[in-house]
Each structure stands twice: as structure tokens, then as C-alpha cells.
Amino acid sequence: VIESKADLFGSSDGAKDDFDAARADTDDSEPEWQPIGEPGLGDESFAATLLQGAETSGVRFYQVVWREDNAVASLNVNGFAHGLALEDALELARTQEERIEAAAGSS
């Protein structure tokens, strides 16, 4: 399952507030998301993961969120844990980042 979202704000301050709220939601959620580092997208970004069940038979969730100037984008990916790697989610996020940059450049 893949869910991709992008929000455009009137200012970078609005985007920063939204980005910070997304990070806080992940930090405060139950069950608890585990941070997995800075994915290197946009001006700032974060990624987190959650495993429901066992590594061999459970479901793995990844969330990647980034801010680029006055836009915030997020990617949520989940699938069987044994077949879904972080790099898969990051590749999808990088593709989305490129599309957002292309759209911003054409306006």
C-alpha cells in the first residue's frame, strides 16, 4: 500500500509548522514509530518505521516526510515485512520529490 501526499503553503513558515506537527504526531503515536534517520530529502526530512507482528510474517510500515521551501510531502508505505525494505520506500519518496521539483519549476 502506498499513500503519497503533498501540501503547498503560502509561506515556508506554514510549511515548517506542518512539518513539525507531522514529526510530533509520529513521535507521540501509539503504537510507537521508530525513527530511522534523515533521508536527505528537501530542506529537512525524517523517516520512521513500525512493525506489526513478526519480522517473518508481520506488516512493516514506513513513513517519510520532507519539507521543501513552502511545500510538505509525505509518503506512507506498508507491506509484508519480509519483502519491504527501507530503500524501497526511499526510492518512491525520491521519485515523488523529483515530481514536486519539476512541478514547482514549471510554474
Side-chain angles (χ1 to χ4, degrees):
V1 176
I2 302 167
E3 175 190 3
S4 179
K5 181 176 98 170
D7 292 317
L8 186 63
F9 293 85
S11 70
S12 58
D13 288 340
K16 175 83 169 123
D17 289 346
D18 189 66
F19 177 84
D20 291 343
R23 185 189 301 264
D25 285 348
T26 301
D27 291 343
D28 296 339
S29 71
E30 289 293 331
E32 197 171 310
W33 286 85
Q34 300 300 310
I36 49 177
E38 163 67 51
L41 301 169
D43 294 324
E44 58 184 327
S45 58
F46 71 89
T49 187
L50 173 69
L51 176 63
Q52 289 184 337
E55 188 70 42
T56 56
S57 61
V59 176
R60 169 73 63 189
F61 295 82
Y62 290 108
Q63 181 179 53
V64 183
V65 181
W66 66 98
R67 181 188 65 82
E68 180 73 41
D69 192 23
N70 65 328
V72 175
S74 63
L75 182 75
N76 293 292
V77 180
N78 72 71
F80 294 112
H82 66 277
L84 181 61
L86 172 60
E87 191 53 42
D88 297 330
L90 292 178
E91 183 178 336
L92 291 167
R94 287 185 199 106
T95 299
Q96 181 67 343
E97 178 187 37
E98 291 169 5
R99 289 178 177 165
I100 292 168
E101 287 174 353
S106 65
S107 55

